[in-house]
Amino acid sequence: MPKSMSVVREAIAGDEADDAMAERAVAEQVAAGRKVLPIVEGVVLVAALVAPLVLQDYLTVFATRVIILALFALSFDLVWGYAGIMSFGQALFFGSAGYGVALLARDLDITNIFLVLPAGTLIGLTFALLLGGFLLLGRHPSSVIFVSLGTLTGSYAADRLARGWYYLGGQNGIPSISSMTLGSYEFSEGPPFYYLVLGLLVVVYLLCRFLVRSQFGLALAGLRENEQRIAFFGYKTQHLKAIIFAIGGAVAGLAGSLYAFHEGFVWPNMVGVVVSTQVVLYVLFGGSGTLIGAVIGAVIVEGVSFWLSDNYREVWPIILGVLLLLVILFRPLGLISFVLGERERVGSFGGKSRKTGKEKRDAAP
Amino acid sequence: MANAFVAAFEILSFGAIIVLIVLGLGIIASMMGIFNFAQGEFVLLGAYITYLAYAKGLPIWAGMVAAPFVVGALGFVLEALIIRRFYAAPIVAMLGTYALGLIIRESVRGLIGGFYLTVPEPIGGSIDIGAMHISAWRFTIIVITALVMGGCYLLLARTSFGLRVRATLENPSLARASGISTPLIYGATFAFGAALAGLAGALIVPVFSLFADLGLRFLIQGFVAVMVGGVGSFIGPVAGAGVIGTLSAALPWVMAPVVADVLVFVLAIVFIKFRPQGLIAGKGV
C-alpha cells in the first residue's frame, strides 16, 4: 500500500510537507508575477465603493451587513490566520459587544456614535483579554485543542446565559434598538450607513495590515508556522498570542456593535456557536493569513448564500459544507491562494530583500 | 427518600447517556488523536436511522440495531476517503470534520425539515419499586451503557484487535514493522467510534426526540468531558463523561438551570486549565 504508507509518513514528517507546500506556493507566486496583493485589494475597494451606486436599496442594506461581517471575519483572521490561535468562539466578543451597545441604547439612551462604537470595541477587548488571558497565559503553554475547545465552550456558555437571562431579553434578545446618532443625524439603513461601515473597515484593515507587516506581525507569522522556534528566539509566545487575541476581540467588538445598530436588534445566536463557526467558514473559504482573503471570503459566502437562498434554501448549507471540505482538502490557504503566493502572504520585511519568506522569518529577530 | 431516589436515578440515567455519547468520541480522540467534530452528527444519524425505521413501519428495535452498523460503515468510508488525509494536522482535522458534520447535519435538516420528531420508546412504561416509578427505557439505557462500556474495555484490553489498536497508538512505525496494517486499524477504530455514536443516537432519540441540532448539543459537552477525563486512555474520557454528566444532571436540582448549565462548563474549563492531563493521565486502556 504505497499510498497509505506515504500518508502515515506525512503524519510523522508533517513539517516537511509544509515546507514543500510553501515552496510550491512560492514557485506559483513567481510564475504569477509579483505584487498581486495590492491589485486584489484595489479591485475589492473600488468594487465596494461603487456598489451602492449600482445596487438597489435593499441590496445596499444587505451589502452593509456583508461589510460588517467582513470586519468580523478580519478579527478572526488576525487570531487564526496570523497567530494560529483557533478561536471557535469569536462570536462571544461580537455578540457581547452587540448586547452591550444594545443595553446602552435601551437603558441609558446613549446612541452617540462616538460613545457606542468605542464602548463596543472596549467590551470586545475586555472579554477577549479576560478569556484570552485565562486560556493562553499560564505556567504551562496551552494546547491548541484546549484553546479551541475553551473558546467554543465560552461561546456556547454565553449563548445559554443570554437565552436564560431575563434582563438580556431571553430567547427573543433585545428588539428595536434605536439608530446610531451623530449630533441630530440618525444613521439608518442605506448608503450613509454603508459608507460609514466601509470607511471603518478600510481604517481597521489598514491598521491590521500595518500590524501584520510590522515585526510584531512577522513574529506572529513565525508563531503560526513553528511556535517552538519562535520561543527559542526569545519571544514570549504566550504574550504575543494574548495580545493578538485581545486585538482580535476589539475588532470583533466593533463589528458587533455596528451589527447591532444596523440590524436594530440583538439575539442570543449572536454570541453563540452558529455565528462563531460562520466566521470560521468565511476565513477558511477566502484564505486565512491574508487580510483581504477574510474580506473576500465573507463577501463570497454571504453573497452566494443570499443569491441561492431564494431557490435552493435547503441545499445551500450542504453545498457550503462540501465546498468547505474541498477547500480544506485541496486549497488549505483558501480561494485567495489561486492568485496569491506564500511569499506575499507572509509579506516582505527589511526592504528589497530577495530572500523567501521563510528565511526572512528566521532572520527577523 | 423516594424523591432522593428519583433524583439519583435521573442523574444516573443522564450520566449514562453522556458516557454513551462520549465513548466513541473518546476512543477516536485517544486512539487516533483526532477531535472529531462530526461525532455529534454521527449521533444525529443514528437517531435519524431509528426514526426512519419507525416511520417505515418497522419495529423500532430493528432501527436501533441497524443504526450502529450503518453509521459505522459510513465512518469507515469517510475515514478512507477523507479523515485519512488529516492525521498530519490535528487542527485541520477539526475543521475538516466540522465541514463533514455540517454536510451531514444540513442533509438531515433537509430531510426532516425544522421539526421535532418523536419516536416512541421500544420498552415503554415504568418500573415500580414500592411507591417509586422509574422509566423503563431510561433504565434500559443505563444497562446498555454499562454493557457497551464493559464490552469496549474488554475489546481494547483483552483481545488481539485491542492489542493492535494500542500498538498502533503507541508507536505506528514499530506496529507497521511488526506486520500490523496501521491504515486498516485506523479505519476500524474510526468506524468503531462512529458506530458507538450511532448506537448512542439510536438509544437517546426516544428521550430527546429527533431534531437537526441534536448532535450539536452533545458535541461540546462530549469534548469537555473528554478533556476533563484526559485524552490518551480509554478510561479517562469515560470518567470525564461520568463527572460531566453527573454534574450537569445534579446541579439543576440545587440552582437555576441556566446558571448550572454555564457553571458546569466554567468549572470544566478551569479544571482543564490547571490539570491539562485530565483526571486520569497516561496512555493505554
Side-chain angles (χ1 to χ4, degrees):
Chain A
M1 271 182 250
K3 173 124 201 315
S4 41
M5 286 287 281
S6 74
V7 171
V8 180
R9 197 157 47 236
E10 266 176 42
I12 299 160
D15 243 14
E16 281 170 32
D18 283 352
D19 287 354
M21 205 151 62
E23 274 163 31
R24 212 178 314 136
V26 171
E28 278 168 23
Q29 157 75 19
V30 173
R34 252 164 233 116
K35 296 293 165 203
V36 189
L37 191 57
I39 302 173
V40 177
E41 288 169 337
V43 168
V44 171
L45 179 62
V46 170
L49 279 175
V50 298
L53 305 178
V54 294
L55 292 177
Q56 287 154 291
D57 276 354
Y58 78 100
L59 283 176
T60 306
V61 173
F62 168 70
T64 316
R65 188 181 309 141
V66 173
I67 299 280
I68 297 173
L69 290 173
L71 189 63
F72 181 33
L74 213 56
S75 81
F76 175 73
D77 195 19
L78 276 181
V79 293
W80 163 240
Y82 282 92
I85 308 165
M86 190 69 226
S87 166
F88 256 120
Q90 204 65 12
L92 178 58
F93 317 124
F94 182 73
S96 56
Y99 266 102
V101 295
L103 289 177
L104 278 182
R106 186 186 71 179
D107 295 346
L108 303 174
D109 223 11
I110 296 173
T111 51
N112 189 319
I113 184 167
F114 291 115
L115 289 174
V116 289
L117 291 187
T121 313
L122 205 64
I123 293 170
L125 179 76
T126 314
F127 275 84
L129 266 180
L130 289 176
L131 187 68
F134 175 71
L135 291 179
L136 297 164
L137 300 180
R139 209 144 42 90
H140 310 291
S142 307
S143 71
V144 191
I145 299 284
F146 172 66
V147 174
S148 45
L149 283 184
T151 47
L152 184 67
T153 311
S155 176
Y156 182 73
D159 182 326
R160 305 289 295 202
L161 205 61
R163 270 176 214 285
W165 196 351
Y166 179 72
Y167 178 63
L168 295 181
Q171 290 278 4
N172 303 321
I174 301 172
S176 56
I177 304 165
S178 39
S179 300
M180 236 177 347
T181 50
L182 177 61
S184 59
Y185 182 77
E186 283 192 4
F187 281 99
S188 51
E189 296 179 332
F193 202 116
Y194 178 87
Y195 282 111
L196 168 75
V197 173
L198 183 63
L200 281 171
L201 176 68
V202 171
V203 171
V204 172
Y205 184 90
L206 290 176
L207 284 175
C208 291
R209 203 172 189 283
F210 170 75
L211 185 76
V212 300
R213 289 295 150 97
S214 66
Q215 187 157 359
F216 175 71
L218 279 161
L220 286 181
L223 200 64
R224 177 191 61 202
E225 301 294 330
N226 191 338
E227 185 175 339
Q228 214 168 31
R229 191 181 286 176
I230 291 298
F232 287 158
F233 282 143
Y235 285 102
K236 288 195 161 59
T237 55
Q238 292 177 328
H239 294 189
L240 289 179
K241 281 184 169 184
I243 291 169
I244 196 72
F245 195 77
I247 295 173
V251 175
L254 177 63
S257 36
L258 284 169
Y259 195 80
F261 279 111
H262 184 253
E263 300 299 302
F265 69 104
V266 289
W267 74 114
N269 259 4
M270 229 174 119
V271 291
V273 177
V274 179
V275 175
S276 289
T277 46
Q278 191 79 11
V279 73
V280 179
L281 290 187
Y282 299 151
V283 173
L284 287 181
F285 228 73
S288 59
T290 52
L291 295 171
I292 197 71
V295 176
I296 293 176
V299 172
I300 290 181
V301 172
E302 282 300 315
V304 175
S305 67
F306 183 77
W307 178 48
L308 284 181
S309 60
D310 284 343
N311 306 319
Y312 304 96
R313 190 185 294 277
E314 266 97 53
V315 194
W316 164 241
I318 304 174
I319 300 174
L320 188 68
V322 174
L323 289 179
L324 182 70
L325 194 62
L326 291 177
V327 167
I328 291 170
L329 282 176
F330 301 110
R331 277 275 150 192
L333 300 178
L335 295 179
I336 194 84
S337 68
F338 280 113
V339 292
L340 206 67
E342 169 82 355
R343 182 171 168 194
E344 273 201 271
R345 203 165 79 91
V346 175
S348 49
F349 181 75
K352 295 189 179 74
S353 157
R354 288 264 180 263
K355 284 185 262 178
T356 66
K358 201 158 181 69
E359 283 164 347
K360 227 171 289 159
R361 279 203 305 281
D362 295 356
Chain B
M1 178 58 207
N3 263 340
F5 181 77
V6 169
F9 176 76
E10 288 284 320
I11 293 166
L12 185 65
S13 85
F14 190 74
I17 288 170
I18 296 292
V19 168
L20 198 57
I21 288 167
V22 166
L23 262 182
L25 199 65
I27 284 179
I28 293 178
S30 293
M31 301 290 155
M32 306 173 70
I34 283 189
F35 273 73
N36 180 17
F37 266 61
Q39 194 75 9
E41 275 61 41
F42 289 155
V43 173
L44 172 67
L45 265 186
Y48 179 67
I49 291 164
T50 310
Y51 168 77
L52 213 59
Y54 165 68
K56 290 265 186 285
L58 295 169
I60 298 164
W61 59 263
M64 287 181 173
V65 172
F69 290 100
V70 176
V71 179
L74 180 78
F76 190 77
V77 173
L78 287 180
E79 198 276 343
L81 290 179
I82 298 163
I83 310 289
R84 185 158 289 193
R85 300 161 185 270
F86 294 144
Y87 292 146
I91 285 291
V92 181
M94 282 170 79
L95 299 173
T97 51
Y98 171 75
L100 268 181
L102 184 70
I103 297 169
I104 298 174
R105 181 165 72 242
E106 295 305 329
S107 303
V108 172
R109 199 194 303 277
L111 288 166
I112 64 175
F115 304 111
Y116 282 65
L117 301 168
T118 49
V119 176
E121 302 166 347
I123 302 172
S126 61
I127 301 172
D128 303 330
I129 308 166
M132 296 168 289
H133 310 281
I134 54 176
S135 152
W137 179 244
R138 285 183 167 238
F139 182 72
T140 316
I141 291 182
I142 297 177
V143 172
I144 294 179
T145 303
L147 289 177
V148 168
M149 210 161 67
C152 286
Y153 179 79
L154 289 179
L155 182 71
L156 287 170
R158 293 275 181 270
T159 64
S160 85
F161 173 74
L163 190 64
R164 278 156 205 270
V165 169
R166 283 181 290 139
T168 308
L169 161 80
E170 202 81 23
N171 190 335
S173 338
L174 192 59
R176 257 195 319 281
S178 317
I180 298 171
S181 166
T182 49
L184 204 63
I185 293 286
Y186 279 137
T189 312
F190 192 81
F192 186 61
L196 285 178
L199 177 68
L203 292 178
I204 64 170
V205 65
V207 180
F208 291 98
S209 76
L210 174 67
F211 53 102
D213 292 322
L214 175 72
L216 211 59
R217 180 185 188 288
F218 291 108
L219 183 72
I220 298 172
Q221 232 162 7
F223 274 135
V224 169
V226 170
M227 296 287 285
V228 165
V231 187
S233 62
F234 168 76
I235 210 75
V238 173
V243 172
I244 293 290
T246 309
L247 271 184
S248 7
L251 282 181
W253 292 80
V254 290
M255 59 180 78
V258 181
V259 184
D261 219 19
V262 174
L263 189 66
V264 172
F265 286 116
V266 173
L267 283 178
I269 290 294
V270 172
F271 176 78
I272 303 165
K273 172 76 187 173
F274 293 106
R275 197 175 155 79
Q277 69 273 39
L279 277 173
I280 295 165
K283 290 194 165 186
V285 174

